[in-house]
Amino acid sequence: MKILVLNCGSSSAKYQFINMEDESVLASGVIERIGIDGAFLTHEPADGEEVTIENDIPDHNVAIKMVIDALLDDDHGVITDMDEIGAVGHRVVHGGENFSESVVIDDEVYDAIDDVKHLAPLHNPPNLLGIEVSQELMPDTPDVAVFDTAFHQTMPEKSYMYAIPYELYEDYGIRRYGFHGTSHKFVAGKAAELLDKPIEDLKIITCHLGNGASMAAVDGGKVMDTSMGLTPLEGLVMGTRCGDLDPAIVPFIMEKEDLDPKEVDNLLNKKSGVAGLSGVSNDFRDIGAAAEEGNERAQIAIDVFCQRVKKYIGSYSAVLGGVDIVVFTAGIGENAIEIRSQILEGLEYLGIKVDEEKNDIRGEDQIITTDDSDTVAAVLPTNEELVIARDTKELVE
Ligand code: ADP
């Protein structure tokens, strides 16, 4: 079976077309600037050159039609008939409390995703649009929803409740949900494979450190706590998001800077994080280079980022009552060697001793602690698309 994995954002859509016989990617691509001037699709077949197709792409309907056309194209396509698309797996950001697993999409599921769109107003509406268009263009092909929040639904109340009036939870669903669930689930599973132990016997801390970043405390394969909250703004310091903050700062900034709720939300989501601190960039490659040249604010941004991750490792090992393995994944986790070192520095008390030679790698499965460390730290590259494709295959079969 071949599966199309779709990740629809408001002005962009990413896709991968995966052959589930051997889990190989047949083609992948992205459409950018949907509904904006200068829209284009970049499509890369596994055994061919990347092509860029500029087009007027007013909406998601045209966008997804272009994806299908690219897959069918005589030159750069990878299939000859639309029927070869066995199923479509959709990344859906927010499942609220309704979904603890992936599901085949029917009217009821669609409505349930629609019901929680207020919790992810930037993400769920374009996810729903992708589902609608997919059903319109491929009515006989099953669609599956894979939720960013699902893996975290095992969290106990004591981890997901906020200490604000209980009615706000009842009335608006204000609680911790957590995100990047597909990634945390994938690397937790890989950690168990790496240690060759059943996941049921392991205490795992997963660090998904990308432009968006979050951590999870996983006990016996179940999430006990995670750092993102009602929205992806909470927790770690990110590319442009502030992460944990004294909540009193929000009304304080609003008053001082004369900002309305939308503006302060924008400041904390888009202008903060390591970008806001450093004034250089949201990208750790740029910030690292600036710090090396003596830029103090860049160094502060790196230090604050690492300190936050370290703090969560400590708190999650307390939540779990110990830790067997700390996993690093996503753009920074997989590639930023010095950042990993800095985070793990001083964690010898937890049994973690970094082996700098082993740590000198990017983007491959590798244990980075010394053989005599009681606790393992490892780099395990994530693959969210593959999780979506696997869940989709399992459900439609
Ligand atoms: P997202 O999916 O959230 O956009 P990624 O997981 O792709 O993010 O991570 C992107 C980030 O990874 C970049 O912004 C950059 O900070 C970091 N990154 C990627 N490659 C490297 C590298 N070689 N060294 C340091 N950081 C890197």
Side-chain angles (χ1 to χ4, degrees), residues 14 180 208-213 239 274 282-287 329-339 362 382 384:
K14 288 187 200 156
H180 293 138
H208 177 107
L209 310 180
N211 196 30
V274 289
N282 65 332
D283 193 307
F284 270 80
R285 287 163 286 200
D286 305 332
I287 301 170
T329 197
I332 300 160
E334 291 167 27
N335 297 298
I337 297 161
E338 295 83 9
I339 299 285
R362 298 183 206 277
T382 193
E384 291 166 280

Side-chain angles (χ1 to χ4, degrees), residues 256-268:
K256 292 284 178 202
E257 297 277 309
D258 193 22
L259 302 181
D260 66 23
K262 273 216 166 81
E263 289 166 334
V264 76
D265 188 64
N266 191 53
L267 181 143
L268 298 173

Side-chain angles (χ1 to χ4, degrees), residues 158-170:
K158 62 185 174 190
S159 294
Y160 71 69
M161 288 302 295
Y162 291 115
I164 53 176
Y166 195 81
E167 294 74 23
L168 293 171
Y169 165 62
E170 293 177 313

Side-chain angles (χ1 to χ4, degrees), residues 70 72 90 102 104 155 165 191 236 246 249 262 299 302 304 309 345 350 367 378 382 385 394:
L72 283 165
H90 298 265
S102 305
V104 176
M155 259 187 295
L236 302 180
D246 175 352
I249 293 172
K262 273 216 166 81
Q299 191 57 53
I302 292 171
V304 173
V309 178
E345 198 180 70
L350 274 180
I367 290 177
T382 193
E385 288 79 12
E394 199 181 309

Side-chain angles (χ1 to χ4, degrees), residues 374-395:
D374 291 333
T375 301
V376 173
V379 175
L380 295 172
T382 193
N383 192 339
E384 291 166 280
E385 288 79 12
L386 186 58
V387 179
I388 297 174
R390 282 181 182 164
D391 279 12
T392 302
K393 175 173 182 267
E394 199 181 309
L395 282 166

